[in-house]
Amino acid sequence: MRARAATLGDLEDVFRGLSKRMSDEYVAAGKDSKIAYDNLMMNLKEGRAHALVEGDKTVAIIAWHENSDAANTLFAAQEDFFRAATIRFCKRHIRHIQALAGNLPIHSRSWLQGSDVARWFHLIGYVERGQENGATVFELPPARG
């Protein structure tokens, strides 16, 4: 797996084959796929979105935006993305995004309550920071030295 700057075509590809768990996540957040697409598009236009590519297939888009105390992530993926092999890649890549965001803490949210969701975040290096608007907030602390 590799990451590169996301394109409009990448975003369209991911949403054409969007996984059911991502659709469920958006609904649980009170959004729909169109709102998620538009939010990711805004970050893509601002140069803050990466395509996660397996072979020549884009399987996910991750975007981020900084605020005063953290960088928040947005995410969309096809079912092919959700495999154990992607955890190692994500662990490295989220640190790369963190460096691009000035080593701010990274905040990611999940509205789904499955034990596999928390396990994935913990394996990547996140810690649970509580609830916010019905979502569990996970934080990746700043990288050390």
Side-chain angles (χ1 to χ4, degrees):
M1 184 170 281
R2 63 186 173 87
R4 59 170 167 70
T7 66
L8 175 58
D10 294 324
L11 188 59
E12 290 172 351
D13 287 347
V14 168
F15 273 82
R16 243 189 315 276
L18 191 65
S19 77
K20 182 179 178 336
R21 71 179 84 195
M22 292 305 311
S23 295
D24 292 348
E25 177 89 20
Y26 301 149
V27 169
K31 301 177 180 178
D32 62 20
S33 294
K34 173 72 171 115
I35 293 170
Y37 180 97
D38 290 345
N39 289 339
L40 284 160
M41 174 64 78
M42 183 176 62
N43 284 280
L44 188 150
K45 287 180 177 180
E46 294 173 356
R48 294 186 314 251
H50 288 166
L52 305 183
V53 181
E54 185 81 62
D56 59 357
K57 181 182 178 190
T58 301
V59 294
I61 302 283
I62 185 166
W64 65 95
H65 60 276
E66 300 91 0
N67 61 34
S68 60
D69 63 345
N72 295 288
T73 62
L74 302 166
F75 188 70
Q78 296 182 342
E79 195 59 38
D80 295 357
F81 174 82
F82 297 101
R83 301 177 287 114
T86 60
I87 292 174
R88 286 183 300 278
F89 176 81
C90 290
K91 189 172 186 171
R92 287 188 313 270
H93 190 67
I94 197 70
R95 287 294 183 186
H96 175 70
I97 289 171
Q98 189 171 50
L100 293 172
N103 200 32
L104 288 171
I106 300 286
H107 288 173
S108 297
R109 290 161 180 77
S110 179
W111 283 262
L112 299 179
Q113 301 303 317
S115 62
D116 60 328
V117 173
R119 194 177 108 242
W120 270 59
F121 277 111
H122 292 149
L123 288 170
I124 292 170
Y126 282 84
V127 292
E128 203 168 310
R129 288 292 183 218
Q131 299 286 310
E132 179 182 288
N133 300 325
T136 302
V137 178
F138 295 93
E139 180 179 277
L140 183 68
R144 296 185 188 155

